[in-house]
């Protein structure tokens, strides 16, 4: 018998608001049972569920787990789109030859990476 990952859970000050950011990032609909002020909010996609849980503790150190995003569009366009949604760049590891990735923060400073799209990787193979 084995276990499966049911969801990836984030501690957050405002579950509804942070889930709203990730709903836009992943182009997912908001579940009907998520409401402002609830202690939990979810982002459900075909491949995973992100759960946002109310926790008022401050983030103290770097995340030990993070998400790697592979966009359908070119990486740099996705970075620009995410910046417009409220993300910030933490560290930029893009290289002049087009390889590399960008470490970003969501609105509550959770880290995630934006990788090159599959098409970009295929073009440099």
């Amino acid at each position: 018998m084995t276990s499966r990952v049911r969801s990836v859970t984030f501690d957050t000050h405002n579950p509804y608001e942070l889930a709203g950011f990730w709903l836009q990032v992943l182009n997912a609909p908001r579940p009907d049972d998520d409401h402002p002020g609830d202690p939990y909010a979810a982002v459900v996609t075909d491949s995973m569920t992100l759960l946002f849980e109310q926790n008022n503790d401050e983030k103290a150190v770097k995340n030990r787990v993070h998400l790697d995003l592979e966009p359908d569009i070119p990486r740099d366009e996705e970075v620009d789109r995410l910046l417009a949604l409220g993300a910030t760049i933490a560290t930029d590891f893009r290289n002049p030859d087009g390889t590399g990735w960008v470490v970003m923060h969501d609105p509550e400073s959770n880290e995630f990476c934006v990788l090159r799209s599959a098409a970009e990787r295929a073009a440099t193979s």
Side-chain angles (χ1 to χ4, degrees):
M1 180 158 249
T2 63
S3 295
R4 67 180 175 89
V5 176
R6 179 175 172 156
S7 61
V8 177
T9 303
F10 292 78
D11 289 341
T12 176
H13 292 210
N14 188 328
Y16 188 84
E17 187 175 299
L18 191 57
F21 169 81
W22 283 101
L23 287 164
Q24 292 178 80
V25 169
L26 299 173
N27 193 29
R30 187 178 293 277
D32 292 336
D33 60 350
D34 280 355
H35 303 285
D38 286 349
Y40 298 95
V43 174
V44 180
T45 72
D46 292 338
S47 62
M48 69 181 330
T49 296
L50 303 179
L51 181 64
F52 299 89
E53 178 178 42
Q54 178 75 45
N55 184 317
N56 291 324
D57 292 343
E58 293 299 321
K59 180 181 172 192
V61 296
K62 182 184 182 318
N63 293 25
R64 298 287 304 262
V65 175
H66 67 269
L67 304 177
D68 287 340
L69 303 182
E70 179 187 78
D72 294 332
I73 60 178
R75 177 202 54 219
D76 296 348
E77 289 179 29
E78 180 69 349
V79 167
D80 290 343
R81 185 180 81 86
L82 298 173
L83 289 169
L85 293 176
T88 57
I89 293 176
T91 309
D92 194 332
F93 292 104
R94 290 179 279 193
N95 299 310
D97 67 357
T99 61
W101 66 95
V102 179
V103 179
M104 301 188 81
H105 287 160
D106 72 14
E108 288 203 21
S109 296
N110 297 299
E111 294 148 4
F112 63 97
C113 294
V114 181
L115 311 175
R116 293 182 298 158
S117 68
E120 289 173 300
R121 286 193 323 280
T124 58
S125 297

